[in-house]
Amino acid sequence: MVSVVAVDVFSALANPVRRQLLEALREGPRAAGDLAGRFALSRPAVSEHLAVLRHAGLVREEPRGRHRYYHLDADPLAEVGAWLHPFEHYWRARMGALRDLLDEENP
């Protein structure tokens, strides 16, 4: 069974802008303005995406004077990874069977 936290994480990851924000934060903490500058979106729109990521526990916010810095927190992704793991095995087996079939057809 998937927990409520994982559902929030899945919802957060469903949006491509939020996935790009997470990718940017893999490089290290970033100021909200720096993150907003990467998109053709308004700052309030980017702030909403960051709020969703914060609610899902994927980022944490650090105030520094007048600026807000965001840090990646990948711990919630571990639960998602654990849930996806059996599916990875399923698809690897299916692709292996397809490869074997194609190898038989085209020696």
Side-chain angles (χ1 to χ4, degrees):
M1 179 174 210
V2 179
S3 74
V4 173
V5 171
V7 171
D8 288 343
V9 172
F10 281 120
S11 296
L13 294 175
N15 184 284
V17 171
R18 293 192 283 266
R19 290 193 304 268
Q20 290 174 13
L21 285 166
L22 292 174
E23 288 173 15
L25 290 172
R26 281 190 325 195
E27 301 166 8
R30 299 264 185 245
D34 176 43
L35 292 167
R38 295 171 176 246
F39 299 94
L41 298 172
S42 67
R43 283 183 183 239
V46 174
S47 290
E48 287 181 32
H49 286 295
L50 287 167
V52 170
L53 293 171
R54 202 172 52 249
H55 176 74
L58 291 167
V59 299
R60 65 181 170 79
E61 182 182 64
E62 175 193 359
R64 290 187 198 170
R66 294 177 36 205
H67 301 281
R68 303 244 179 249
Y69 281 78
Y70 286 86
H71 300 258
L72 176 64
D73 184 358
D75 290 343
L77 294 173
E79 185 175 346
V80 172
W83 184 82
L84 287 172
H85 188 71
F87 295 100
E88 178 183 352
H89 288 293
Y90 169 80
W91 283 111
R92 283 184 192 267
R94 301 290 294 176
M95 291 305 205
L98 177 60
R99 182 187 60 240
D100 293 344
L101 178 65
L102 292 173
D103 286 347
E104 288 175 13
E105 295 292 322
N106 301 311

